[in-house]
């Protein structure tokens, strides 16, 4: 039996809903063996309104983890999550080239829920410069897409298409711009662009869901499917079918946060 393997280069969300925890739960659910190169630890402070405190891991240690995985084990697909410095983004770019990685999913984590500004501008600039052109798939939300496409803002579907097109022109093969629940109306929207045609994906908005970790889970599901040899469009379809139930069955953790239910698709 072939065991397919997926790798995530991501931060640890101690609360368990996002980051590498979301990624390996998703890999596991989709039948793929997961490995992790940890970039930082995020602790949430219960004495300070669940404020996210980020503790970075030295780049040299991340390099060691990547050697363990890529030199020592191998992987069929790889994704990135929170990359908090230019140094680290450079390391990821070098690693993609060194190991000739093809199934590369870049989730350009630049903002966290509730914070609408780019967290680390140098890292974001490096992602735009070095990772967009190395990505098979990118999954920006509206803020990230605005930044990556050098736009002033995204307010309409046409704006989303324009952003997807600009990001594609920078070298990424498939761009998925996620509006999530940010647009008014009954539907959550994604625009997918492969350089040829725009596909509008619409899903019923899941109101009242705890969506912490949804972005990580979605890109991890795409990565798991690519690891299994699926085409991008099929991987995307499966990821959508995976995230829907996980959101519907999301649950409260405490007064500040909740989490997706990663096993909901099989219940
Ligand atoms: O959802 C963005 C995200 C990614 N990675 C880590 C996180 C978060 C948000 O909290 O903690 C490690």
């Amino acid at each position: 039996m072939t065991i397919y393997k997926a790798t995530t280069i991501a931060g640890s969300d101690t609360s368990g809903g996002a980051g590498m925890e979301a990624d390996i739960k998703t890999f596991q659910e989709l039948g793929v063996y997961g490995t992790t190169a940890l970039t930082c630890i995020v602790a949430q402070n219960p004495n300070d309104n669940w404020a996210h405190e980020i503790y970075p891991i030295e780049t040299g240690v991340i390099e060691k983890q990547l050697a363990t995985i890529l030199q020592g084990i191998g992987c069929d697909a790889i994704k990135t999550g929170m990359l908090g410095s230019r140094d680290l983004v450079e390391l990821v770019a070098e690693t993609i080239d060194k190991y000739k990685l093809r199934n590369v999913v870049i989730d350009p984590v630049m903002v966290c829920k509730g914070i609408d500004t780019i967290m680390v501008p140098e890292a974001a600039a490096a992602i735009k410069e070095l990772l967009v052109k190395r990505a098979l798939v990118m999954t920006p939300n509206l803020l990230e897409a605005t930044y990556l496409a050098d736009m002033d803002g995204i307010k309409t579907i046409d704006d989303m298409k324009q952003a997807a097109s600009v990001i594609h022109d920078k070298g990424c093969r498939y761009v998925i711009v996620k509006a999530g629940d940010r647009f008014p109306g009954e539907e959550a929207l994604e625009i997918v662009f492969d350089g040829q045609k725009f596909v509008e994906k619409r899903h019923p908005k899941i109101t009242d869901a705890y969506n912490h970790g949804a972005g990580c889970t979605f890109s991890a599901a795409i990565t798991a499917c690519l690891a299994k040899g699926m085409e991008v469009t099929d991987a995307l379809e499966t990821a959508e079918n995976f995230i829907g139930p996980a959101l519907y069955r999301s649950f409260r953790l405490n007064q500040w946060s909740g989490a997706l239910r990663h096993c909901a698709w099989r219940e």
Side-chain angles (χ1 to χ4, degrees), residues 66-154:
L66 289 169
T68 305
I69 298 163
L70 297 169
Q71 199 183 318
I73 300 169
C75 81
D76 300 297
I78 192 162
K79 68 155 287 196
T80 62
M82 201 179 271
L83 306 173
S85 70
R86 181 169 181 101
D87 271 6
L88 177 50
V89 174
E90 285 175 358
L91 172 66
V92 171
E94 282 160 21
T95 303
I96 291 168
D97 294 350
K98 178 172 173 188
Y99 294 98
K100 299 187 171 48
L101 303 175
R102 294 281 173 269
N103 285 333
V104 176
V105 178
I106 305 290
D107 183 16
V109 177
M110 296 179 180
V111 291
C112 252
K113 278 212 171 76
I115 310 168
D116 277 2
T117 49
I118 303 284
M119 288 189 301
V120 187
E122 315 81 70
I127 290 172
K128 180 152 67 174
E129 183 193 334
L130 299 172
L131 294 187
V132 176
K133 58 183 165 209
R134 290 176 167 86
L136 174 61
V137 180
M138 283 197 94
T139 56
N141 61 26
L142 293 186
L143 277 150
E144 292 154 352
T146 301
Y147 177 83
L148 290 169
D150 307 303
M151 290 168 67
D152 290 332
I154 298 179

Side-chain angles (χ1 to χ4, degrees), residues 27-91:
F27 293 166
Q28 178 80 10
E29 286 294 334
L30 293 172
V32 169
Y33 180 76
T35 51
T36 59
L38 201 60
T39 60
C40 63
I41 297 171
V42 177
Q44 290 88 1
N45 190 340
N47 300 314
D48 184 17
N49 237 352
W50 215 237
H52 287 41
E53 296 166 356
I54 303 182
Y55 300 93
I57 299 202
E58 267 174 56
T59 308
V61 178
I62 301 166
E63 198 172 354
K64 293 277 188 193
Q65 298 176 76
L66 289 169
T68 305
I69 298 163
L70 297 169
Q71 199 183 318
I73 300 169
C75 81
D76 300 297
I78 192 162
K79 68 155 287 196
T80 62
M82 201 179 271
L83 306 173
S85 70
R86 181 169 181 101
D87 271 6
L88 177 50
V89 174
E90 285 175 358
L91 172 66

Side-chain angles (χ1 to χ4, degrees), residues 176 190 192 201 218 222 231-240:
I176 304 160
E190 286 154 23
V192 184
K201 300 245 177 182
F218 180 63
I222 296 171
E231 297 295 330
V232 174
T233 42
D234 297 334
L236 182 56
E237 192 86 20
T238 305
E240 284 158 3

